[in-house]
Amino acid sequence: MAKPLVAVVGRPNVGKSTFFNRVVGSRISIVEDTPGVTRDRIYAEAEWSGVHFALIDTGGIEPDSKELIPSRMREQAQMAIDTSDVILFMTDGKEGMTIADREVGDMLMRTGKKVVLAVNKIDKPELPDDFYDFYELGLGEPVPISAANMLNLGDLLDRIIENFPEGAGEEEDDSIKIAMIGRPNVGKSSLINKILGENRVIVSPIAGTTRDSIDTPFVYDGQKYTLIDTAGIRRKSKVSENIERYSVLRAVAAVERCDVCMLVIDAAEGIAEQDKKIAGIAHEAGKGIIVTVNKWDLVDKETGTMNEFRKEIARELGFLSYAPAIFISALTGQRVGKVMDMARYVAENRAMRVPTGKLNTVITDATMMKQPPSDKGKRLKIYYVTQVGVKPPLFSFKINSRPLMHFSYSRYLENKIREVFGFEGTPLKFVFREKGEKEEEF
């Protein structure tokens, strides 16, 4: 289910990153501590008052000394506007309202988008006299906060979720949505064209051609699909154009909207560090994932070449051990016919429910085969487990002590569940409750 997107915009040094990190680093944010997942701090999943959303840090909007809003500043702001459901416009209460704040505020107001105005660095209960200048922006009542001291963050988050559009977070249709994600120039658009059998997406050897996310609905073997082509995600050191930075935001938004991610990798170049980051975004979002190794026709083949590449996938993308890999050539059409069948299979696994009785039998057998961990004479006990959600599959464990549930044992239980039920291509989510804790607390 797609989450509403909140983009944090504003000038440099107003506290956007501090706010973002406070949200990510506190109980407000849901962050999965999975070894091997390299996070790009531009994005985080968050929850407040039971409402889940995606938070995006857009970086600083810098006015030019000769022009209040130069072309790149407009591009940055416009990309954030187009991507998000709600815009959090952050300003600096110590510095007071600036001409640049007025210019950005005017631009945001004209868009018709929902905008929440925050005045940061208000560290005392008494508001400074120039605080009331921010009312002149015409963006409603400013929310005074101190991101550094975590003051009034709850009030700000309340205001944000109040402005989510009706129906945000709901699926727009019943098609299986597949997002093509990956670095620039790995062949995402070419793959879509080969699947569709026609050139519906511009294909160019120039990296970064696809700036936007392009949706293409179609029917295959009686099943409705929507293919989402996204801009290639570059390493930060190579994001020299501001518009490319916001192409990353569009890709993040596409991941939020999809059911299955095709992580397209260039077979000739192998797995790069940025591939891990992109995979981490999809993994943390709980999406189905297929590792799609493209340009396989360009690789010199010897006996065991494919197995060697599979070993590289296991080594470099260990946290995606559940994800199937398919080796294709979008240029020649090699194995492209299997892509849609694989996507449907993964989507079905992501929506699968398993019987509670059989699930508990699997867990009981697993604990008998490998004794649960203990500490200071106290041993972990698992009373029962039930599946409480799908897309991705979510399992709730009733246990005696959460600290005793070590990550390694949780991974062991996940592997046992997968051995019996499959769930290939989809991450599994676990929550652990002690006696007396209510389900809705999670």
Side-chain angles (χ1 to χ4, degrees), residues 9-17 90-93 95 101 120-121:
V9 303
R11 297 181 292 107
N13 302 318
V14 297
K16 298 183 304 300
S17 294
M90 189 163 292
T91 59
D92 188 330
E95 187 175 348
D101 290 331
N120 192 26
K121 304 182 184 179

Side-chain angles (χ1 to χ4, degrees), residues 28-91:
I28 297 171
S29 176
I30 301 174
V31 180
E32 184 179 15
D33 185 16
T34 304
V37 178
T38 305
R39 292 181 180 83
D40 187 336
R41 303 302 290 182
I42 198 172
Y43 164 87
E45 295 180 38
E47 177 267 334
W48 184 251
S49 296
V51 180
H52 294 259
F53 60 95
L55 187 66
I56 302 171
D57 184 8
T58 64
I61 299 178
E62 298 193 47
D64 188 89
S65 59
K66 297 180 181 179
E67 186 180 350
L68 291 178
I69 304 183
S71 59
R72 285 191 176 181
M73 181 176 176
R74 290 184 186 277
E75 287 171 353
Q76 287 189 27
Q78 192 61 54
M79 287 290 185
I81 290 166
D82 293 343
T83 300
S84 62
D85 295 295
V86 174
I87 298 170
L88 173 58
F89 180 25
M90 189 163 292
T91 59

Side-chain angles (χ1 to χ4, degrees), residues 89 91-99 101-103 105-106 117-119 122 127-144:
F89 180 25
T91 59
D92 188 330
K94 284 187 176 179
E95 187 175 348
M97 188 169 63
T98 66
I99 297 176
D101 290 331
R102 290 181 185 272
E103 291 292 322
D106 288 344
L117 176 61
V119 182
I122 305 296
L127 298 177
D129 293 338
D130 57 2
F131 172 84
Y132 299 95
D133 293 342
F134 290 97
Y135 280 88
E136 298 175 12
L137 294 174
L139 297 173
E141 182 179 0
V143 182

Side-chain angles (χ1 to χ4, degrees), residues 9-242:
V9 303
R11 297 181 292 107
N13 302 318
V14 297
K16 298 183 304 300
S17 294
T18 301
F19 169 77
F20 184 86
N21 291 333
R22 288 297 190 191
V23 172
V24 173
S26 71
R27 290 290 296 176
I28 297 171
S29 176
I30 301 174
V31 180
E32 184 179 15
D33 185 16
T34 304
V37 178
T38 305
R39 292 181 180 83
D40 187 336
R41 303 302 290 182
I42 198 172
Y43 164 87
E45 295 180 38
E47 177 267 334
W48 184 251
S49 296
V51 180
H52 294 259
F53 60 95
L55 187 66
I56 302 171
D57 184 8
T58 64
I61 299 178
E62 298 193 47
D64 188 89
S65 59
K66 297 180 181 179
E67 186 180 350
L68 291 178
I69 304 183
S71 59
R72 285 191 176 181
M73 181 176 176
R74 290 184 186 277
E75 287 171 353
Q76 287 189 27
Q78 192 61 54
M79 287 290 185
I81 290 166
D82 293 343
T83 300
S84 62
D85 295 295
V86 174
I87 298 170
L88 173 58
F89 180 25
M90 189 163 292
T91 59
D92 188 330
K94 284 187 176 179
E95 187 175 348
M97 188 169 63
T98 66
I99 297 176
D101 290 331
R102 290 181 185 272
E103 291 292 322
V104 177
D106 288 344
M107 182 173 57
L108 295 178
M109 187 168 59
R110 290 194 299 269
T111 66
K113 282 265 188 171
K114 298 289 187 180
V115 180
V116 175
L117 176 61
V119 182
N120 192 26
K121 304 182 184 179
I122 305 296
D123 302 321
K124 299 178 181 179
E126 302 81 17
L127 298 177
D129 293 338
D130 57 2
F131 172 84
Y132 299 95
D133 293 342
F134 290 97
Y135 280 88
E136 298 175 12
L137 294 174
L139 297 173
E141 182 179 0
V143 182
I145 68 167
S146 172
N149 297 320
M150 298 189 69
L151 298 178
N152 290 339
L153 293 192
D155 292 343
L156 179 58
L157 291 167
D158 286 342
R159 182 78 64 83
I160 289 172
I161 64 175
E162 286 171 3
N163 282 277
F164 286 160
E166 185 177 355
E170 298 178 0
E171 291 286 358
E172 297 176 357
D173 57 62
D174 58 354
S175 69
I176 296 175
K177 299 172 184 63
I178 305 170
M180 299 292 176
I181 61 175
R183 293 179 292 124
N185 207 29
V186 294
K188 300 183 297 297
S189 298
S190 297
L191 176 56
I192 286 181
N193 287 341
K194 183 61 69 171
I195 291 172
L196 297 173
E198 56 182 292
N199 291 327
R200 293 199 187 183
V201 182
I202 297 173
V203 179
S204 167
I206 302 173
T209 297
T210 307
R211 300 287 193 185
D212 208 335
S213 297
I214 304 169
D215 291 12
T216 306
F218 74 108
V219 177
Y220 173 81
D221 197 22
Q223 171 66 50
K224 291 191 291 185
Y225 295 88
T226 300
L227 290 176
I228 307 171
D229 188 22
T230 63
I233 306 178
R234 290 174 173 268
R235 292 194 303 272
K236 281 186 176 181
S237 60
K238 292 191 176 181
V239 183
S240 56
E241 296 180 63
N242 291 327

Side-chain angles (χ1 to χ4, degrees), residues 374-441:
S374 63
D375 183 45
K376 298 178 181 178
K378 185 177 182 180
R379 186 169 299 279
L380 171 69
K381 294 181 181 179
I382 302 174
Y383 300 115
Y384 68 87
V385 58
T386 183
Q387 185 177 353
V388 295
V390 295
K391 299 183 180 181
L394 174 64
F395 298 89
S396 177
F397 288 73
K398 193 66 172 288
I399 61 178
N400 63 329
S401 173
R402 193 179 296 109
L404 291 177
M405 179 58 79
H406 299 164
F407 172 81
S408 59
Y409 201 75
S410 172
R411 177 57 59 88
Y412 164 73
L413 295 177
E414 176 182 338
N415 291 337
K416 289 300 179 182
I417 290 175
R418 290 187 183 279
E419 285 179 11
V420 176
F421 302 108
F423 287 114
E424 186 177 13
T426 181
L428 304 182
K429 303 292 185 181
F430 290 171
V431 293
F432 301 102
R433 298 183 299 115
E434 297 180 0
K435 279 188 175 181
E437 293 179 336
K438 298 180 180 179
E439 193 77 45
E440 55 268 23
E441 291 179 356

Side-chain angles (χ1 to χ4, degrees), residues 224-279:
K224 291 191 291 185
Y225 295 88
T226 300
L227 290 176
I228 307 171
D229 188 22
T230 63
I233 306 178
R234 290 174 173 268
R235 292 194 303 272
K236 281 186 176 181
S237 60
K238 292 191 176 181
V239 183
S240 56
E241 296 180 63
N242 291 327
I243 191 170
E244 287 198 8
R245 177 180 172 85
Y246 284 89
S247 294
V248 176
L249 300 188
R250 292 190 184 280
V252 169
V255 168
E256 282 299 331
R257 292 192 293 115
C258 80
D259 300 295
V260 177
C261 290
M262 290 281 182
L263 175 63
V264 184
I265 293 173
D266 189 323
E269 295 184 3
I271 299 173
E273 189 66 28
Q274 189 67 355
D275 291 320
K276 301 178 189 178
K277 294 182 180 181
I278 298 167

